[in-house]
């Protein structure tokens, strides 16, 4: 077994933090510009948790150096500015009324086709025709989940197909 050396914080945690910082930065920018998938969001959230654990380890391992930086007015100022900016930005952009896309898809999946179709800018009959033409067995009274189950998939996939068809017909 390889030795970690006398300083596992320096040989393991610091390089890991650099890698996690890069990944968090890239995925954060992707999310900021709305160019991401669920996998990117998942990676960003969970790798940020790992980053926090590594940062806490580094913080505790270097407590004296951290404490010295807070004795300097520049260190206290940088901390204060970062804290105020973080709280202000979170306050300006946070929204307690946020509904996740997953929740929207779940509600949409439980709606009958004739009620779901207008969400895609489609008349119910047009939506039904689009599905039938692509080999999807459906009827107007069926929910998107029922249509999905009948065709070996789920309501979210049926909603995605309707969205794609609606976008293609524009």
């Amino acid at each position: 077994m390889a030795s970690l050396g006398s300083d596992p914080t320096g040989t393991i945690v610091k390089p890991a933090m650099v890698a996690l910082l890069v990944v968090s930065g890239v995925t954060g920018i992707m999310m900021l510009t709305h160019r991401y998938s669920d996998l990117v969001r998942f990676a960003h959230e969970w790798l940020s948790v790992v980053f926090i654990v590594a940062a806490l380890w580094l913080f505790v391992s270097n407590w004296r150096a951290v404490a010295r930086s807070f004795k300097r007015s520049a260190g206290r100022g940088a901390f204060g500015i970062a804290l105020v900016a973080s709280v202000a930005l979170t306050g300006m952009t946070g929204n307690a009324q946020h509904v996740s896309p997953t929740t929207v898809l779940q509600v949409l999946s439980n709606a009958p086709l004739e009620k779901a179709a207008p969400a895609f800018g489609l008349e119910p009959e047009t939506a039904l025709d689009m599905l039938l033409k692509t080999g999807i067995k459906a009827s107007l009274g069926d929910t998107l989940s029922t249509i999905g189950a009948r065709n070996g998939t789920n309501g979210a996939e049926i909603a995605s197909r309707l969205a794609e068809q609606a976008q293609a017909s524009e």
Side-chain angles (χ1 to χ4, degrees), residues 17-130:
M17 285 185 64
V18 170
L20 291 166
L21 179 64
V22 169
V23 171
S24 184
V26 169
T27 57
I29 290 169
M30 291 172 75
M31 292 173 69
L32 182 66
T33 60
H34 303 286
R35 305 224 187 274
Y36 67 97
S37 65
D38 285 339
L39 181 61
V40 169
R41 183 184 57 81
F42 179 83
H44 180 79
E45 290 171 352
W46 284 103
L47 291 175
S48 292
V49 171
V50 175
F51 181 81
I52 290 167
V53 169
L56 287 173
W57 181 350
L58 190 64
F59 182 79
V60 169
S61 299
N62 295 289
W63 173 247
R64 288 188 181 125
V66 171
R68 277 194 308 269
S69 68
F70 278 95
K71 289 181 180 178
R72 297 182 186 107
S73 59
R76 287 190 309 271
F79 177 80
I81 290 169
L83 184 62
V84 168
S86 296
V87 170
L89 188 60
T90 302
M92 290 185 324
T93 60
N95 183 353
Q97 300 296 324
H98 176 73
V99 177
S100 75
T102 304
T103 302
V104 172
L105 275 176
Q106 287 172 343
V107 170
L108 198 54
S109 293
N110 292 324
L113 182 57
E114 66 267 14
K115 300 231 181 204
F120 302 102
L122 299 170
E123 293 295 323
E125 294 77 15
T126 305
L128 179 61
D129 288 342
M130 287 177 164

